[in-house]
Amino acid sequence: MRTGVLSRASARVPSFAAPLTASLLVLLFRSALAVAPEVSPAAPGDLPAPTSFTAGDRPGDSGNAKPGAERYVDTTAKDGTVYRYEIRTVSAADTSSAVPAAGGTSAASGTVAAALPAGPPLVSDPVASHDNWFRTEKTNSFIASVLFLVILLASIGAAKSGKKIFIRRIAGLNAVDEAIGRATEIGKKVLYVPGSQSMDEIQTIASIAILGHVARATARYGTDLDVPNKDPLTFASAREAVRGAYLAEGRPDLYREEMVNYVTYDQFAFTAAVSARMIRERPAAIFLVGYFFAESLILAETGQSTGAIQIAGQADPTQLPFFIATCDYTLIGEELYAASAYLSREPALLGSMRAQDIAKAIVILLGITGIIAASLGATWFAGLFKTQ
Amino acid sequence: MPHIPGIETWIAALLTLACMSFLYKDNPFFRFAESLFAGISLGYFIGITLNQTLVPNLILPLHRDFGQNWDLLVPGLLGVLLYMRYVPKIGWISRFALSIYVAYYIGLDFTRRIHGEVLPQLARAIVPLSKFDSHTILYSLIFSVGVFSVLIYFFFSKEQDAVTRRVARLGIWFLMISFGAAFGFTVMGRVALLIGRLNFLILDWIYPMIGLR
């Protein structure tokens, strides 16, 4: 058999401006490669010339389309530089060692295959890549994002305008006041660990909102609070939240800077230090709310051994089992976000909870519709939600 | 023939034992190891941040070609603003940097989660239930019921009625079963870590001393 070889010639036409890099897609038509099977390699002069192929910028991509049997994507093409591509027919024996095969029916290479015995070339028109403002492969994400944003803004707007938004009580939240009350009664402190991640993690942001509520309660009751931190930015945010809570409760005299303290950035050094603090100072209530990794079990197990009331909150399913096994109450997944909305009663958070519920209802509706459609043979419906 | 391991092996082994001694109770050896670990890790982190983040991404580009890289001053300035909290009169300025950081990542995460998690999971949840074979009943049906019952459990803005409460309870069962599986899987990984540490103590520290290696 013979196979096509694509080679990039040179930039012969002056380049034109384009801002960002994108890929060039060259379509190799199968007709150019359709030749009769042959046992022995043919001499270059016997090889027929390809009849046609087109080269052009692939619309709506981000420069990472995969080459297929009839396509060659030149990911090395520089944006704005004009290229010509040429395709030749060579025998399979000649290409096996020199050119990577793509799909078995054609071969493609971005390098000039001048050394190969090849038939006469067919040269494309000048072509240049350019970036695309709209990436068509992400249309479904775009529609979903816009839809959710509209729902989100409408819900927040409704909450701000005074519409009452109901959030059901979560079992773990009843325990928050109970745990702080217990700490007050026995005169021991409340330990609050806001996870081990930075403020780019949504769970940490939710945790800081809950910390604000806990700090208001400790300020109200005059209970000592200890907030050790691993991440510097979380540390800064936690300090702001606790200071603000003490001010809001009218007890700035009870606030001390060292309530919110920084330990270290290393995961297990932090874990060792906090675990040791639990054993030494025996807090009456421990909150482990935020994003935790492998330290989750060590911290929760140590806290459990001290006899403290433990309340955890985490949205990562890999660490949740440990909290469920060792803590008195656990805010599972989205309960963490709902808790921050419930406790703070801020319109923005209440509205966003409402928006998330509407989005979940839409997802359930689409899912059930999709299952019915797929059961009836309309598999294209599920394809609407596939992403690249 | 007995062979005394190097000083680094001794330090590592004794610190390992000092950490493990916490399993019995808090003691001075553990306190020493803990303080050493926390202190060294913090110092190391500062060095890493300086050498791998600040110098190559901010200081060197500004030093080499200021005209081309002047825009790096903006994130640099935002970083400096974070320290304004230590100047009480203008401490509020640090909130600007923090709010920009948080807002940037919320925006970034928003589209990333929809594209990378919500839509693919929805696509995966759409499975045909037209056949009544073992795959449909043992996989597709259970999978679909699990996905939607868990989603219903996480409805917060509506009080649960008799029906949704039952469906949500079913969702909790699905969650607990999956958590149980994850728990077992991770515990196996933790046991493997313990075995690795015991291997070090026995093979690299004790065995050479008694001439077994």
Side-chain angles (χ1 to χ4, degrees):
Chain A
M1 73 178 272
R2 292 169 181 145
T3 182
V5 170
L6 178 74
S7 65
R8 190 168 75 194
S10 55
R12 298 177 188 171
V13 182
S15 63
F16 50 87
L20 292 169
T21 304
S23 68
L24 274 174
L25 174 70
V26 178
L27 298 173
L28 305 179
F29 288 99
R30 195 183 289 273
S31 59
L33 310 169
V35 289
E38 198 171 331
V39 177
S40 58
D46 297 336
L47 296 170
T51 52
S52 71
F53 79 102
T54 58
D57 179 67
R58 183 175 182 269
D61 74 345
S62 53
N64 58 358
K66 291 175 184 169
E70 298 170 4
R71 289 178 170 189
Y72 169 69
V73 180
D74 187 359
T75 51
T76 63
K78 285 185 181 170
D79 194 43
T81 304
V82 179
Y83 299 98
R84 286 178 191 274
Y85 287 81
E86 62 179 50
I87 187 168
R88 294 168 187 262
T89 306
V90 297
S91 65
D94 293 325
T95 59
S96 59
S97 61
V99 180
T105 56
S106 69
S109 166
T111 57
V112 178
L116 294 173
L122 186 66
V123 181
S124 76
D125 291 333
V127 62
S129 71
H130 59 87
D131 193 28
N132 303 113
W133 284 100
F134 191 85
R135 292 178 181 166
T136 48
E137 76 253 28
K138 293 186 177 176
T139 304
N140 52 5
S141 293
F142 175 72
I143 293 170
S145 298
V146 170
L147 181 68
F148 186 62
L149 268 177
V150 169
I151 295 170
L152 184 68
L153 293 175
S155 299
I156 291 174
K160 281 187 172 172
S161 68
K163 187 185 175 189
K164 196 176 177 191
I165 291 181
F166 172 81
I167 299 280
R168 73 172 161 86
R169 184 82 180 169
I170 300 160
L173 292 182
N174 295 323
V176 172
D177 292 331
E178 182 190 328
I180 298 168
R182 182 174 178 247
T184 310
E185 276 175 17
I186 60 176
K188 287 189 172 177
K189 69 175 173 183
V190 172
L191 180 72
Y192 191 105
V193 186
S196 60
Q197 294 302 292
S198 192
M199 291 303 289
D200 57 345
E201 172 58 46
I202 307 293
Q203 293 182 56
T204 312
I205 297 168
S207 175
I208 295 297
I210 295 172
L211 171 63
H213 174 80
V214 171
R216 286 185 78 141
T218 56
R220 209 161 40 242
Y221 302 135
T223 314
D224 194 12
L225 175 68
D226 184 12
V227 188
N229 286 274
K230 173 181 170 284
D231 184 83
L233 285 172
T234 308
F235 165 60
S237 304
R239 246 192 194 170
E240 287 292 326
V242 172
R243 184 191 288 141
Y246 274 76
L247 280 172
E249 284 297 320
R251 300 302 305 270
D253 54 310
L254 289 180
Y255 174 74
R256 289 172 289 110
E257 288 276 293
E258 56 276 20
M259 275 180 173
V260 185
N261 48 77
Y262 186 74
V263 182
T264 179
Y265 197 76
D266 186 89
Q267 181 188 15
F268 287 107
F270 173 77
T271 309
V274 176
S275 298
R277 201 177 287 188
M278 287 176 182
I279 294 288
R280 279 172 211 145
E281 299 173 7
R282 301 214 167 243
I286 297 173
F287 291 84
L288 302 167
V289 183
Y291 202 122
F292 293 87
F293 285 103
E295 68 275 12
S296 62
L297 183 57
I298 302 171
L299 290 174
E301 207 273 337
T302 308
Q304 202 269 345
S305 72
T306 65
I309 288 187
Q310 288 202 111
I311 299 169
Q314 163 98 355
D316 181 20
T318 57
Q319 304 302 327
L320 264 170
F322 305 122
F323 286 138
I324 288 169
T326 52
C327 294
D328 297 280
Y329 299 94
T330 306
L331 300 169
I332 301 170
E334 213 177 327
E335 285 180 348
L336 174 62
Y337 311 124
S340 61
Y342 186 92
L343 293 171
S344 66
R345 308 304 297 180
E346 276 186 35
L349 292 176
L350 289 171
S352 74
M353 276 314 300
R354 174 95 175 148
Q356 285 177 53
D357 277 4
I358 295 171
K360 271 176 275 185
I362 293 172
V363 165
I364 291 175
L365 203 67
L366 287 172
I368 292 172
T369 310
I371 287 172
I372 294 169
S375 301
L376 296 173
T379 51
W380 58 268
F381 194 83
L384 294 176
F385 308 109
K386 286 185 178 159
T387 55
Q388 292 174 20
Chain B
M1 183 179 170
H3 153 72
I4 303 296
I7 183 77
E8 67 281 359
T9 308
W10 275 90
I11 291 172
L14 292 175
L15 285 175
T16 302
L17 290 178
C19 287
M20 285 179 168
S21 68
F22 188 66
L23 291 171
Y24 172 60
K25 68 175 191 178
D26 192 23
N27 62 76
F29 298 109
F30 174 74
R31 287 183 185 209
F32 172 74
E34 174 214 330
S35 303
L36 188 72
F37 192 13
I40 287 179
S41 65
L42 185 57
Y44 184 71
F45 170 64
I46 292 170
I48 289 282
T49 306
L50 190 67
N51 289 325
Q52 294 185 7
T53 305
L54 278 179
V55 171
N57 296 325
L58 181 69
I59 296 168
L60 275 183
L62 285 177
H63 179 69
R64 283 179 184 156
D65 190 351
F66 184 83
Q68 193 71 25
N69 300 311
W70 65 268
D71 52 343
L72 292 176
L73 285 175
V74 177
L77 184 67
L78 287 174
V80 172
L81 287 185
L82 282 172
Y83 290 95
M84 291 300 116
R85 65 176 50 255
Y86 296 110
V87 186
K89 279 187 180 176
I90 51 168
W92 54 271
I93 293 178
S94 67
R95 291 180 194 161
F96 282 103
L98 207 56
S99 57
I100 288 170
Y101 181 81
V102 171
Y104 171 79
Y105 276 103
I106 285 178
L108 189 71
D109 225 30
F110 181 81
T111 48
R112 199 167 54 190
R113 299 271 171 147
I114 286 179
H115 187 78
E117 291 180 17
V118 176
L119 290 178
Q121 284 182 29
L122 177 58
R124 288 276 293 127
I126 296 175
V127 285
L129 299 174
S130 49
K131 293 178 187 169
F132 288 97
D133 54 6
S134 58
H135 181 268
T136 306
I137 294 164
L138 293 177
Y139 173 74
S140 303
L141 190 61
I142 292 176
F143 181 67
S144 304
V145 171
V147 167
F148 296 122
S149 60
V150 168
L151 273 175
I152 285 172
Y153 171 76
F154 286 112
F155 267 89
F156 297 103
S157 61
K158 196 163 168 43
E159 192 67 87
Q160 291 178 337
D161 58 19
V163 177
T164 51
R165 194 175 298 122
R166 286 200 177 108
V167 177
R169 183 155 285 278
L170 181 66
I172 278 287
W173 272 93
F174 273 99
L175 281 174
M176 291 304 153
I177 290 167
S178 68
F179 289 156
F183 188 92
F185 180 75
T186 312
V187 166
M188 281 197 302
R190 299 294 170 85
V191 171
L193 289 176
L194 176 66
I195 290 170
R197 213 60 211 152
L198 293 177
N199 267 344
F200 164 73
L201 287 177
I202 295 167
L203 301 178
D204 295 353
W205 187 47
I206 297 174
Y207 270 19
M209 283 197 289
I210 58 176
L212 285 177
R213 202 172 175 188

